[in-house]
Amino acid sequence: MMGRRLSHQPLSRPVLYTSMGHDGLGMAGSWLDLVLGLYYSYYKTIIEAPSLYNGLHSIMYDNITEYPNVINVLKRFNLYPESLILYIFLTGLGEPAYFYIESVFLLNGVMMMVFFFFGAYLSESILGGFLTVMFFFYNHGECTRVQWTPPLRESFAYPFFVMQMFVVTKVLRCHCPSYKDSILIALVTVCFMLPWQFAQFALVTQTVAVFATYVLTFIGSHKMKIILSGQALGLVISYICLFGNKMLLTSFFAACLITVTVIVLLESWLEKLYYRLVILVNSVRTLSIKLLLAKVLAVADDAHIADLLRSKFTDFKSFHTMLYTCAAEFDFMEQETPWRVLKTLLAPCAITVMLTTVAMTEKKYTNGDTNSQKTTDRKQDDYHREHRSRVHAEAVYHILQLLAFTVMAVIIMRLKLFWTPHLCLISSLLASSKLFGWLGPSHYRYALVAVVVAAATIQGLANLKHQWSILGEFSNIPQEQLVEWVNNETPSGAVFAGPMPTMATIKLCTNRPIVNHPHYEDAGLRERTKKVYTLYSRKSEEEVWRHLISLQVNYTILEESWCLRRSRIGCGMAEVWDLEDVDNRGKPPVCARLHKMPEPYFKSVFRNSIYDVLKVIYEPNKVLNKKT
């Protein structure tokens, strides 16, 4: 893939897997980088095990990641991609790390092929496929992060979402699809959901977009049932494959599927209602079902998502939401992004397609272009209602899907992963004779495409050259010194706590037990991390010590950047703690105090320019007695 080229330094060096990002978190590196070492560590664990069975058993009954708890990381961290890559690796040859990364790049290369065929199918022109791929590469830095952070879940999952949308598009266009299409939708939905917990939120937007297409009478209930059946089957299979992960059953996706299915089944009863009322009822019922399922099954793991959205539109702030929103990836879309997609003509082309589609469908709509005309025969009415299909139904769906992705990208910058590629896909419709046949003979349309390509290439080539010019050197001497010290000077069972990205490195490079890690989606883990992060609060040394003792920690790692720096006002760790720890406001951070005077609760055992390792003293009274 394009972007930063990997230097040929030894892949055993720890910094390779935790320093591949380029967006700043402010408090300590990039939020993107937090999970890289953690994901790869399990791939490494299985490879180094005596057998594949032993390797899988070690990650399914893991007491290293959240010591002393035993967790199934295959269930918790969506590690099916690593397991599959490992299986392929064991049947072939190659250096494990390169094999891992190249597998990710290969999958995303296949995705580009799918995008080409997708664009060609949607526009019914090979030029549409060319436009899709061209715009993707001209806006590569806005479309994907795989070149920076290969192990991220989205790198494995998003290509399958593209395939899934392709199948849904085929169902929407086909005059009479069958339930065989439901099976295909289910299969690619499973491939999308297994690698990535966030997949459920993207699938919610798809369900809503297809439902809106149905409410606007562009498709009938038959197509709606096929798509819903495929999505529901995919959800059930994913639930089983993830060892009964309750988050899937209590997700907005599951609640939305239930609500929409009920409405579709009761179509004859509800068809006289105003569509606005149906949508309102759908929204309220979806939220109610989601909350009810979460309460019945006692699942709070995704509660932080609601808090995060709440913090976006109100003055609500909490410790956990601030850890997210202080990272650039979870902030609102940066102001430069719209300008970048304007300069390559991506946004203008997509807007042109959208306006043209609206105009054409409105014209067809008012002219009664549908096979759902009323007759005096009730059976015929039911049949037409079930199988109605308007021209441009698939285009309407993709416009609605794009609107949903736009909202997601504006609220959380990281989610432009969905938005920008879909702009590229929508732009393929510039080559559609159905939408732009009014231009006249086909060579007029070809001339329009040629002008767009020529104009877009001016900025597009500049963007490509910039991407190709980025080189990376992965060197972090202080971190290497830390890892070597841990390996040489601490027992193999020593338990560590500290900043999330550093814990990923400790887990990967030393295999020492850790009590917190970067996978922040679990409610229990969030509370563990909060206890560890009292190190960067203004609390007393004794209170911090008690939290670490309760977690059975032997060593804790302090980092200067987490203690003193901040990306912007309110985003220093001590400032984040000030939201909840009102009583201690104004005091110096405990991390600064411990750096100067760790006794009697801690003892400094290693220090370099970045890291300060403190050993937890389990009998501090002895230290105090010695001083007196």
Side-chain angles (χ1 to χ4, degrees), residues 200 204 235 248-259 289 293:
Q200 54 167 299
V204 167
L235 177 64
L248 295 181
L249 295 185
T250 61
S251 65
F252 282 103
F253 178 44
C256 189
L257 279 178
I258 294 173
T259 303
I289 292 175
L293 289 173

Side-chain angles (χ1 to χ4, degrees), residues 50-155:
S51 67
L52 178 60
Y53 172 80
N54 289 336
L56 290 174
H57 185 273
S58 66
I59 67 171
M60 292 175 66
Y61 299 92
D62 177 279
N63 68 341
I64 301 292
T65 305
E66 290 182 16
Y67 182 88
N69 296 345
V70 176
I71 62 172
N72 182 345
V73 294
L74 185 61
K75 171 184 177 180
R76 280 272 299 276
F77 301 158
N78 299 72
L79 291 176
Y80 275 95
E82 280 77 6
S83 302
L84 179 60
I85 292 173
L86 176 68
Y87 177 78
I88 298 173
F89 170 77
L90 292 176
T91 61
L93 298 173
E95 204 287 327
Y98 279 122
F99 189 86
Y100 180 88
I101 294 173
E102 288 167 359
S103 298
V104 180
F105 289 164
L106 176 62
L107 177 60
N108 282 264
V110 171
M111 180 186 72
M112 294 313 305
M113 180 178 67
V114 175
F115 261 126
F116 176 82
F117 289 115
F118 199 167
Y121 179 81
L122 186 62
S123 64
E124 298 181 273
S125 169
I126 196 170
L127 283 177
F130 171 77
L131 284 172
T132 302
V133 175
M134 180 198 75
F135 275 122
F136 190 99
F137 279 99
Y138 282 178
N139 297 272
H140 194 269
E142 303 298 316
C143 286
T144 181
R145 301 181 298 176
V146 68
Q147 70 274 28
W148 309 114
T149 50
L152 286 181
R153 301 299 86 188
E154 66 195 46
S155 301

Side-chain angles (χ1 to χ4, degrees), residues 510-531:
T510 73
N511 203 35
R512 298 299 193 271
I514 57 177
V515 299
N516 65 308
H517 55 77
H519 203 272
Y520 214 58
E521 308 305 315
D522 179 74
L525 188 277
R526 290 196 293 273
E527 292 310 308
R528 281 174 156 252
T529 299
K530 188 174 182 180
K531 288 182 178 181

Side-chain angles (χ1 to χ4, degrees), residues 33-50:
D33 304 334
L34 301 185
V35 291
L36 301 188
L38 190 68
Y39 290 138
Y40 185 83
S41 71
Y42 301 114
Y43 174 75
K44 178 184 175 184
T45 296
I46 303 176
I47 284 180
E48 295 179 348

Side-chain angles (χ1 to χ4, degrees), residues 193-463:
M193 295 189 73
L194 288 185
W196 197 15
Q197 284 186 333
F198 188 84
Q200 54 167 299
F201 297 101
L203 289 168
V204 167
T205 66
Q206 181 182 76
T207 304
V208 172
V210 174
F211 177 66
T213 306
Y214 161 78
V215 167
L216 293 172
T217 70
F218 279 90
I219 60 172
S221 59
H222 177 67
K223 292 183 179 181
M224 195 72 211
K225 290 174 184 176
I226 286 176
I227 295 173
L228 290 173
S229 298
Q231 290 179 324
L233 181 59
L235 177 64
V236 171
I237 295 174
S238 298
Y239 171 76
I240 295 172
C241 291
L242 288 172
F243 305 91
N245 192 326
K246 292 182 180 179
M247 278 187 64
L248 295 181
L249 295 185
T250 61
S251 65
F252 282 103
F253 178 44
C256 189
L257 279 178
I258 294 173
T259 303
V260 172
T261 300
V262 170
I263 292 176
V264 172
L265 292 176
L266 297 178
E267 179 184 32
S268 60
W269 294 73
L270 300 173
E271 64 177 346
K272 296 181 179 181
L273 294 177
Y274 289 107
Y275 293 133
R276 291 179 183 177
L277 179 59
V278 173
I279 294 173
L280 177 61
V281 171
N282 180 36
S283 302
V284 174
R285 187 178 296 174
T286 297
L287 181 60
S288 301
I289 292 175
K290 188 265 185 289
L291 294 176
L292 178 62
L293 289 173
K295 186 172 183 179
V296 170
L297 296 176
V299 175
D301 290 340
D302 59 352
H304 65 299
I305 299 296
D307 288 341
L308 179 60
L309 294 176
R310 180 182 171 192
S311 70
K312 291 286 183 177
F313 303 106
T314 68
D315 59 357
F316 172 78
K317 295 179 181 179
S318 70
F319 177 87
H320 299 300
T321 62
M322 290 300 290
L323 285 189
Y324 276 104
T325 57
C326 283
E329 294 84 358
F330 290 91
D331 202 353
F332 288 101
M333 179 189 289
E334 56 188 352
Q335 297 179 357
E336 294 81 3
T337 296
W339 175 240
R340 290 173 188 147
V341 296
L342 278 171
K343 290 196 293 185
T344 59
L345 297 187
L346 175 59
C349 288
I351 292 172
T352 299
V353 167
M354 292 173 66
L355 293 177
T356 303
T357 302
V358 170
M360 295 292 290
T361 54
E362 193 277 335
K363 181 179 179 180
K364 297 283 186 181
Y365 200 100
T366 53
N367 289 340
D369 182 26
T370 179
N371 61 9
S372 61
Q373 305 296 321
K374 289 287 183 181
T375 69
T376 56
D377 190 326
R378 183 179 180 83
K379 290 185 178 180
Q380 282 189 338
D381 284 346
D382 291 341
Y383 178 83
H384 288 312
R385 186 191 306 113
E386 186 174 359
H387 294 275
R388 62 176 174 256
S389 182
R390 294 183 184 273
V391 179
H392 306 309
E394 68 276 16
V396 170
Y397 155 69
H398 280 288
I399 289 175
L400 294 169
Q401 185 73 79
L402 178 61
L403 292 176
F405 288 160
T406 302
V407 173
M408 292 166 61
V410 169
I411 295 175
I412 299 177
M413 187 270 285
R414 177 185 180 184
L415 299 184
K416 66 182 179 181
L417 154 77
F418 296 104
W419 177 63
T420 320
H422 217 76
L423 284 174
C424 301
L425 185 63
I426 288 289
S427 297
S428 69
L429 288 169
L430 281 175
S432 171
S433 59
K434 287 184 178 179
L435 278 181
F436 291 91
W438 52 270
L439 289 174
S442 59
H443 58 270
Y444 287 173
R445 192 170 66 258
Y446 297 152
L448 171 65
V449 172
V451 170
V452 168
V453 170
T457 299
I458 298 174
Q459 183 60 41
L461 285 180
N463 290 348

Side-chain angles (χ1 to χ4, degrees), residues 12-27:
S12 58
R13 300 184 71 170
V15 293
L16 176 63
Y17 309 108
T18 56
S19 303
M20 295 173 66
H22 66 294
D23 297 321
L25 174 63
M27 289 185 289

